[in-house]
Amino acid sequence: MLAALGFATIAALLLLTMTRRASVLVALVLLPVSAALIGGFAGELGELTLQGLVKVAPTGIMIAFAVLYFSLMVDAGLFDPLIRGLLRVARGDPLRITVATAVLTLCVALDGDGASTFLITVSALLPVYRRLGMNPLVLSGVVCLGAGVMNMVPWGGPTVRAMAALKLDSSEVFTPVLPAMGFGVAWVLLASFLLGRSERRRLAALSPSGSAPDGGGSEDERGDLEPTAVKTADGERRLLPSPGGGPSPGDGPGTVRVPPLPRTWLTAFNLVLTIALLVCLIREVLPLPVLFVVGFAIALLVNHPTWEQQQTLLDRHARSVVLVTTMIFAAGVLTGILTGTGMIDEMAEALVSVVPDSFGSHLPVVVAVTGMPLSLVFTPDAYYFGVLPVLAETANGFGTDPAEVARAAVLGQMTTGFPLSPLTASTFILVGMSGVSLGDHQRFVFRWAFATTLVMTAGALLTGAIPL
């Protein structure tokens, strides 16, 4: 009964959010509470919910201050050179922008942390997408694909959990799937090319001239897609802050607005502080929430030294913080109830019990292919510490090395699936900062993410990382 109740809760959550019948926040809270009441856990409801909230509290704190930190850096213009560089290379071409998004994500995601990857890439690239009129779902989708593949690194969540759950080392789990990871990177670049080409055609159809902004026109025809600069009194060229590069409403004829001269020392300080913060995040010098709290406090004091300036910045970005953190704590209600009531454990056992004996020798392939869809049902901890040991033991009974099952799990579960799952906190960072709904994001990128799993599984089969 508990397994059925758990599956019904997850199915209802996905159905309601993907069809927009209820907001994600409402579904994440009321569905598990209803399931707990139906399952006879009314007396334990408060304790179970509180346990879930306590577990996600560090993540909520980290994300709140991380959003504030990177919002401050965006306001300070830290990413302006990157944006100008992307626009210059892309020449206003949506296809090139999309491929550049994939390349940037693959580089930034080397730290193995999805949250920081989403914060950095979306903060840097969303202004570019808005300026070109591109679909923000393309941004969230390409970032999702790139971060998913790079999440396989040994210090990333899936591989660490798989090694810990089965007591294996990286040479047994990660090294054999490196070629498959290469297949995944190649697919992400191809997928970004295809998505970019489609977006170029869409924008071309909307253009009055009927031509795509791909650099094929004259400089004047596509000038509004390039960074617009003017000469200041000191002879330097400055980027205009307005999206169109021209004067704002209310400016007189011929008015040219020149922004204040940038404080070079402050830009250098912000860059050094951000690099130092990222290094500390990768090396885990302190817990991630502590690093972002301290980093934001330092950045706020240096960039906005007065109380009035600090309050203005907090007021400006309060909405973004609330939208993201409320989703995380709502997800804590769901995971706390499903875990505390034992529904997750029962769901795992139910899945294993339906595996036919004839599938025993092919279990690694089955695990790899089903891993991505199952990431929508199970939390990372539930899958790797609850489901994976049972699957590995089952495969061992059929003469299959448990390490092969671990590799298969890493290929799909929480790699290509984690940026789509409502059970993963960082998913809400991606969709929240991109300004898209979870349901739209899932519908848009699901087939591309699943194709990534299939490509990497094929690569693992070809290279012998998992047996056929």
Side-chain angles (χ1 to χ4, degrees):
M1 176 183 173
L2 285 178
L5 192 58
F7 282 121
T9 301
I10 297 298
L13 172 67
L14 297 175
L15 179 64
L16 289 176
T17 55
M18 294 184 73
T19 59
R20 296 186 178 182
R21 297 300 179 93
S23 69
V24 177
L25 177 64
V26 171
L28 285 172
V29 174
L30 295 186
L31 286 176
V33 168
S34 301
L37 295 175
I38 295 172
F41 295 95
E44 306 170 41
L45 182 59
E47 181 181 354
L48 296 176
T49 303
L50 188 58
Q51 288 175 353
L53 291 172
V54 169
K55 188 170 184 179
V56 301
T59 302
I61 295 169
M62 178 199 73
I63 291 173
F65 283 92
V67 169
L68 288 172
Y69 180 87
F70 286 107
S71 297
L72 186 156
M73 291 302 165
V74 170
D75 289 350
L78 179 63
F79 299 106
D80 285 353
L82 174 62
I83 296 171
R84 285 194 295 264
L86 284 172
L87 285 173
R88 190 176 297 112
V89 171
R91 297 201 300 271
D93 183 2
L95 188 154
R96 297 186 184 187
I97 288 290
T98 309
V99 174
T101 301
V103 173
L104 180 65
T105 303
L106 292 169
C107 294
V108 174
L110 278 170
D111 67 354
D113 180 61
S116 62
T117 299
F118 299 153
L119 286 165
I120 295 170
T121 54
V122 176
S123 295
L125 294 171
L126 186 58
V128 178
Y129 277 70
R130 286 176 173 169
R131 183 164 187 163
L132 297 178
M134 294 176 64
N135 186 353
L137 286 171
V138 175
L139 172 61
S140 66
V142 173
V143 172
C144 164
L145 297 178
V149 171
M150 297 307 294
N151 204 35
M152 292 174 62
V153 293
W155 50 89
T159 308
V160 167
R161 289 185 178 93
M163 292 188 297
L166 301 184
K167 298 179 175 59
L168 302 169
D169 57 42
S170 61
S171 64
E172 296 175 283
V173 178
F174 176 70
T175 304
V177 297
L178 259 175
M181 186 176 177
F183 278 78
V185 169
W187 165 252
V188 169
L189 295 175
L190 175 60
S192 65
F193 173 84
L194 297 175
L195 287 169
R197 186 175 63 179
S198 175
E199 190 68 1
R200 175 200 280 174
R201 291 171 178 170
R202 184 186 71 83
L203 292 175
L206 297 176
S207 174
S209 62
S211 59
D214 58 358
S218 67
E219 287 292 330
D220 292 337
E221 289 173 339
R222 65 177 189 272
D224 60 333
L225 296 176
E226 300 288 345
T228 303
V230 295
K231 277 191 176 182
T232 60
D234 59 1
E236 293 185 347
R237 294 177 64 81
R238 303 292 183 200
L239 185 68
L240 286 172
S242 61
S248 295
D251 288 342
T255 300
V256 177
R257 296 180 300 108
V258 179
L261 295 178
R263 292 175 286 176
T264 306
W265 69 268
L266 188 58
T267 302
F269 172 83
N270 288 335
L271 179 61
V272 171
L273 178 62
T274 301
I275 292 174
L277 178 60
L278 293 177
V279 171
C280 291
L281 289 171
I282 295 172
R283 297 179 63 87
E284 297 184 1
V285 175
L286 291 172
L288 268 62
V290 176
L291 288 172
F292 272 113
V293 169
V294 174
F296 173 68
I298 295 173
L300 183 62
L301 178 63
V302 175
N303 286 268
H304 304 281
T306 68
W307 180 86
E308 291 80 5
Q309 292 174 344
Q310 294 170 4
Q311 288 300 116
T312 299
L313 182 131
L314 293 173
D315 290 341
R316 183 162 61 248
H317 299 294
R319 180 177 179 273
S320 299
V321 174
V322 170
L323 286 175
V324 175
T325 53
T326 51
M327 292 296 182
I328 292 170
F329 285 109
V333 176
L334 175 68
T335 56
I337 291 176
L338 292 186
T339 302
T341 57
M343 291 184 196
I344 289 289
D345 295 334
E346 293 294 327
M347 293 163 69
E349 293 182 9
L351 283 176
V352 174
S353 66
V354 299
V355 177
D357 292 343
S358 59
F359 275 14
S361 59
H362 305 293
L363 197 56
V365 177
V366 175
V367 170
V369 173
T370 60
M372 183 263 169
L374 288 180
S375 67
L376 301 176
V377 180
F378 293 103
T379 64
D381 291 335
Y383 184 84
Y384 282 102
F385 297 114
V387 178
L388 182 58
V390 180
L391 293 173
E393 187 61 30
T394 303
N396 191 39
F398 291 101
T400 301
D401 187 353
E404 295 173 344
V405 179
R407 297 169 202 153
V410 169
L411 290 174
Q413 172 68 20
M414 297 311 296
T415 51
T416 52
F418 92 93
L420 290 100
S421 175
L423 304 178
T424 307
S426 57
T427 301
F428 296 105
I429 301 178
L430 177 59
V431 299
M433 295 191 68
S434 300
V436 301
S437 71
L438 177 62
D440 289 343
H441 171 68
Q442 290 174 328
R443 283 192 296 270
F444 180 83
V445 80
F446 182 91
R447 63 185 184 276
W448 297 97
F450 191 52
T452 308
T453 294
L454 296 179
V455 168
M456 290 195 296
T457 301
L461 290 170
L462 289 173
T463 57
I466 60 175
L468 181 59

